[in-house]
Amino acid sequence: MADRTSISHTYAEVTRAAVFGLVVNLSLGIVKLIGGIVGNSFALIADAVNSIGDVVTTVVVLFALRVAQRPADAEHPYGHTRAEGIAASNVALLVIISALLVGWEAIQRIFVQHDIPPIWTLWIAGANILIKESLFQYNVRVGKRTGSSAIIANAWDHRSDALCALAVLIGLGTIRLGGSQFIWADEVASLIVVAVIVWSGVQLFRSSASELMDVQADSEFVDRIREVAMSVAGIEEVETLWVRKSGLEYFADIHIEVDQHLTVAEGHRIGHQVKDRLLAEFPNLRDVLVHLEPFPHIHNTPLTNQNGPS
């Protein structure tokens, strides 16, 4: 069995980073929502919806991470790691719908005259840029250290939020400098925010849906697994290697070619050595299924119907 200590540490570190992001996003969302309502800035309100959407996303992901760590059982022999992908795809749809509703409201307001937002709304937008960029740097470091694609994706979400905040700052600054004739800049900034939110939501949905479809893992990771497998004594060739991502973990199916004159017991021993080495070398591999093939490999021919064609 694989040593679960390392992957448990990864789950713990990813969870801490997610909780920290949740607290920051919740605080920013409340401040921006109040600032947008009191300061009459729809761009800040749209950006607040963005932060609150991130909070909802993080809550669901945290719940999914807890479910994903449950051990396999009779009904779920492969474990519960897909909980994260299921949660992410549903949250992505929720985020997209929420953003489109905000965008529709912004379009309706774009030619409506309203008060110029006060100067302090710019300070909120400016502070948001700095905080979000700091979160981006923090999450990138955690993601690279743990190898968590979820945290790296979350980092880029913070970067897109920082760009949203920059759009809000430019929009509010345009109004402050140009006066009421540029009041539409607030709604234009909010539409930019909406566009970024929708784009992020679509990317999140595509990645999570792709994961649920058992897409092959990235080629670099697959090549590393192949290289480690080939280092086991007695392996002549790796015929087939399928690696699928499931949450923060992976499942591998590998077909190895061994000397066709080996006994069943010897081939079985080599197969176990491959599995044990891969699980030890890659803590994020949850399980490895090893299939033995004779070397030189004899390609199987389709079985014919002994009773003739049907």
Side-chain angles (χ1 to χ4, degrees):
M1 295 297 292
D3 180 9
R4 303 295 296 171
T5 303
S6 182
I7 191 62
S8 296
H9 176 73
T10 298
Y11 272 110
E13 190 162 8
V14 168
T15 299
R16 284 195 299 271
V19 169
F20 180 66
L22 184 150
V23 173
V24 173
N25 277 323
L26 181 60
S27 302
L28 285 175
I30 293 173
V31 170
K32 287 185 288 189
L33 184 61
I34 295 174
I37 295 173
V38 175
N40 201 28
S41 170
F42 198 73
L44 273 181
I45 294 176
D47 207 14
V49 171
N50 187 16
S51 292
I52 294 172
D54 289 341
V55 169
V56 175
T57 301
T58 305
V59 169
V60 175
V61 169
L62 284 171
F63 175 75
L65 286 172
R66 181 175 291 273
V67 173
Q69 295 178 77
R70 293 177 182 172
D73 53 39
E75 292 184 354
H76 306 89
Y78 293 99
H80 302 77
T81 52
R82 280 190 172 175
E84 185 185 9
I86 295 171
S89 59
N90 283 277
V91 168
L93 292 176
L94 177 62
V95 168
I96 292 171
I97 293 171
S98 300
L100 291 176
L101 291 175
V102 172
W104 176 246
E105 182 67 21
I107 291 173
Q108 291 181 314
R109 283 172 50 98
I110 197 165
F111 296 115
V112 177
Q113 194 68 23
H114 52 81
D115 295 335
I116 297 176
I119 188 68
W120 50 263
T121 56
L122 275 76
W123 290 104
I124 293 178
N128 191 30
I129 295 173
L130 296 176
I131 293 172
K132 281 296 185 176
E133 181 61 23
S134 298
L135 278 176
F136 166 76
Q137 298 295 338
Y138 167 68
N139 278 267
V140 163
R141 288 196 298 271
V142 173
K144 288 182 177 178
R145 184 165 58 248
T146 61
S148 169
S149 57
I151 286 297
I152 292 177
N154 199 32
W156 283 102
D157 182 54
H158 289 308
R159 170 60 65 82
S160 69
D161 290 348
L163 295 176
C164 287
L166 178 60
V168 173
L169 182 63
I170 293 173
L172 292 175
T174 301
I175 298 172
R176 294 297 305 177
L177 293 175
S180 58
Q181 61 179 328
F182 290 100
I183 199 68
W184 48 264
D186 186 53
E187 278 66 38
V188 170
S190 66
L191 288 174
I192 293 174
V193 173
V194 166
V196 173
I197 297 173
V198 170
W199 183 84
S200 299
V202 169
Q203 297 305 310
L204 176 60
F205 181 81
R206 288 182 61 186
S207 63
S208 56
S210 177
E211 181 178 311
L212 294 175
M213 292 293 290
D214 286 339
V215 68
Q216 177 82 322
D218 68 88
S219 58
E220 181 181 350
F221 185 57
V222 174
D223 289 342
R224 287 168 53 207
I225 292 177
R226 186 188 306 275
E227 182 180 347
V228 171
M230 285 295 297
S231 68
V232 176
I235 303 297
E236 302 291 346
E237 187 59 73
V238 173
E239 183 204 39
T240 302
L241 177 56
W242 296 331
V243 184
R244 58 184 176 89
K245 188 174 186 296
S246 184
L248 297 182
E249 303 179 65
Y250 294 84
F251 290 86
D253 296 310
I254 183 170
H255 291 207
I256 57 173
E257 296 184 11
V258 299
D259 188 341
Q260 61 181 325
H261 300 297
L262 293 178
T263 64
V264 173
E266 290 171 328
H268 184 73
R269 176 182 56 79
I270 293 174
H272 262 288
Q273 286 180 345
V274 171
K275 178 174 182 175
D276 293 342
R277 184 168 298 183
L278 289 177
L279 291 177
E281 186 75 20
F282 304 99
N284 52 350
L285 268 181
R286 189 179 185 93
D287 196 16
V288 179
L289 179 62
V290 182
H291 180 77
L292 298 180
E293 297 280 0
F295 182 85
H297 182 60
I298 302 174
H299 293 283
N300 293 325
T301 57
L303 295 176
T304 57
N305 191 330
Q306 298 299 321
N307 297 321
S310 55

